[in-house]
Amino acid sequence: MVYFVGAGPGAKDLITVRGLELIKSADIVIYAGSLVNPELLNDCREDCKIYNSAFMTLKEVIETMEEAEHKQQMTVRLHTGDPCLYGAIREQIDMLKERKIPYEICPGVSSFCGAAAALSAEYTLPGISQSVIITRMEGRTSVPEKESIEAFAAHQATMVIFLSAGMLLELQQRLLAGGYPEDTKAAIVYKATWPEEKVCFCKLKELAKTAEEENIKKTALIVIGEVLGDVYEYSRLYDECFTTEYRKGRMLDENQPD
Ligand code: SAH
């Protein structure tokens, strides 16, 4: 059995209870060494075999899982954040399916959630944005033309940009070209939830300069949007006049005592 486990954004105690239990009972752990907090491996069994996938190819990862399966051993494949985002799990899953090796996925706290916590931000503020666009600049992996930064920027929704901290001048220019005003609120969150976390607020037009001043080149998320500002509307859910499934709203009448 293979478990794909989300390790969380960095802090050792931000893995799920289920994920930690799986690590504790694993015979084999293959972890994404570039970003997974190695302290999570302290909870492995003493006889657990640990592999760092940063040094492995897809073929080697699958062979390791296959060998473990033949010995009826349990493998944990530990991915950073939640495996559903830029985790390259689909290709592993398909290869496991071909080999009839059973698998399951245990979700994790994605770094975009860790970053929101670091920013004290709500990405979906009434009156400002009710959508979050998660995307990246193209690197070695291409991004479909119809998902260009410019096309997404035209919505002026909240945007969280992964894997792009080394290309911030280009990112800034393309976000501006797409339609965000140059004073749009922006933030760079470096290593969210790690002890060395750094949070920088700026305006979109200062994005590249801010990262340069702070010497941030990788392991960062870029958040764009007016949800980082101070103007918004209160939620209707908790409005005293608003009736919900659970609570009857009050008719506000000037003659009615409070
Ligand atoms: N599956 C992961 C993302 C992996 S892609 C998740 O859900 O978070 C790797 C990219 O994620 C990095 O280049 C960086 O942009 C971002 N990232 C991962 N951990 C981070 C953290 N703690 N703080 C800021 N960005 C992080």
Side-chain angles (χ1 to χ4, degrees), residues 139-154:
R140 267 173 299 180
T141 304
S142 65
V143 173
E145 177 70 35
K146 61 188 192 308
E147 296 179 12
S148 71
I149 295 285
E150 290 87 341
F152 283 144

Side-chain angles (χ1 to χ4, degrees), residues 17-243:
V17 174
R18 184 187 297 181
L20 187 59
E21 291 306 318
L22 289 167
I23 287 181
K24 283 180 182 168
S25 53
D27 299 291
I28 311 274
V29 171
I30 307 172
Y31 73 104
S34 55
L35 279 173
V36 168
N37 187 340
E39 280 185 50
L40 283 167
L41 305 172
N42 296 343
D43 286 300
C44 289
R45 281 184 359 223
E46 239 168 52
D47 61 339
C48 175
K49 276 203 192 137
I50 300 174
Y51 298 86
N52 180 352
S53 62
F55 301 110
M56 299 165 83
T57 61
L58 171 63
K59 186 165 168 272
E60 286 165 343
V61 168
I62 299 297
E63 281 168 3
T64 308
M65 291 170 171
E66 207 171 10
E67 204 185 304
E69 189 63 20
H70 283 146
K71 295 185 199 154
Q72 296 186 324
Q73 291 181 328
M74 190 269 263
T75 302
V76 163
R77 175 70 169 106
L78 198 53
H79 283 277
T80 177
D82 185 282
C84 76
L85 291 174
Y86 309 111
I89 57 165
R90 176 59 192 269
E91 59 205 33
Q92 299 174 68
I93 287 172
D94 284 346
M95 292 180 100
L96 292 180
K97 276 186 185 161
E98 271 170 31
R99 289 162 179 74
K100 303 206 167 15
I101 298 175
Y103 67 90
E104 212 178 286
I105 300 170
C106 171
V109 178
S110 175
S111 60
F112 83 92
C113 303
L119 293 164
S120 297
E122 180 175 343
Y123 289 148
T124 53
L125 280 181
I128 302 297
S129 178
Q130 289 291 287
S131 313
V132 184
I133 296 170
I134 289 175
T135 189
R136 60 170 297 172
M137 292 269 281
E138 63 186 36
R140 267 173 299 180
T141 304
S142 65
V143 173
E145 177 70 35
K146 61 188 192 308
E147 296 179 12
S148 71
I149 295 285
E150 290 87 341
F152 283 144
H155 295 281
Q156 294 188 37
T158 306
M159 211 149 143
V160 181
I161 303 149
F162 282 70
L163 292 158
S164 306
M167 307 173 242
L168 291 190
L169 188 57
E170 188 189 341
L171 176 65
Q172 174 183 323
Q173 287 164 347
R174 294 179 62 181
L175 288 166
L176 290 170
Y180 279 115
E182 54 178 26
D183 286 338
T184 305
K185 308 282 185 304
I188 305 166
V189 186
Y190 170 76
K191 293 202 97 172
T193 81
W194 290 78
E196 57 271 42
E197 169 186 292
K198 225 188 239 182
V199 174
C200 315
F201 288 95
C202 60
K203 291 180 176 166
L204 174 53
K205 64 181 176 195
E206 305 156 350
L207 191 63
K209 187 178 74 127
T210 306
E212 201 179 320
E213 281 166 7
E214 299 290 335
N215 200 23
I216 297 172
K217 298 189 179 79
K218 59 176 201 170
T219 328
L221 286 174
I222 311 305
V223 181
I224 310 288
E226 285 306 322
V227 293
L228 299 174
D230 297 322
V231 181
Y232 65 97
E233 292 164 13
Y234 277 21
S235 158
R236 302 296 305 276
L237 186 61
Y238 299 104
D239 187 319
E240 60 181 337
C241 303
F242 199 66
T243 299

